[in-house]
Amino acid sequence: MTHPPSIAAILTGRFSSFISSPAKACDDISVVLKNAPPPSKYEVAPSPRAGMVWSPGFWNYVGGWYVWQAGHWELDQPDQQYQHPGWQKVIHGWKLQRGRWRLASVNFIQSGVAAKGQDDGAERRYDPLAAFR
């Protein structure tokens, strides 16, 4: 006879199908090494594609070894800019900077400020960032 998982077992993480995979947590780990990575491999960048951004290959550090991670396409994100992966020279060695998306503009803040300048007779809208201004 099998018993359905109790809510207490699910909330405490004792039910295996609800445990998150550790692979996602490893992406956020900062890697700093004393030895410089090998020189980058030459990759031919493909021709541009609409709605896509090319992320070039780089030397990833996996399990104590440098492993070449081939270039790949990223979906273009509106109002964001892609920072390519690679290694940066820091004080204590070399730091791996993984590819990521960064906010390119602050249009949502500027539009909120412009809305405040309108006449007060207009209908007020909910402003989720009002507490931070």
Side-chain angles (χ1 to χ4, degrees), residues 15-127:
F15 191 62
S16 63
S17 67
F18 287 93
I19 297 174
S20 62
S21 65
K24 186 66 174 169
C26 293
D27 290 343
D28 298 334
I29 296 174
S30 179
V31 177
V32 178
L33 302 173
K34 291 185 180 185
N35 296 331
S40 294
K41 291 185 175 183
Y42 176 73
E43 280 188 328
V44 177
S47 58
R49 295 184 185 176
M52 304 290 280
V53 175
W54 176 251
S55 176
F58 68 101
W59 286 105
N60 198 358
Y61 191 74
V62 180
W65 295 91
Y66 287 105
V67 178
W68 180 254
Q69 183 115 16
H72 64 278
W73 290 104
E74 291 276 338
L75 285 174
D76 194 12
Q77 305 290 324
D79 296 329
Q80 293 189 18
Q81 185 177 23
Y82 186 71
Q83 291 182 335
H84 299 291
W87 291 86
Q88 296 176 339
K89 179 75 172 141
V90 294
I91 295 172
H92 300 293
W94 293 84
K95 180 178 179 180
L96 176 58
Q97 178 68 45
R98 300 190 187 279
R100 61 182 171 194
W101 288 96
R102 287 284 177 134
L103 192 61
S105 65
V106 289
N107 291 338
F108 64 93
I109 294 174
Q110 292 172 349
S111 64
V113 171
K116 283 185 178 181
Q118 296 173 354
D119 63 336
D120 294 332
E123 179 183 332
R124 294 217 169 222
R125 292 191 212 170
Y126 174 69
D127 185 7

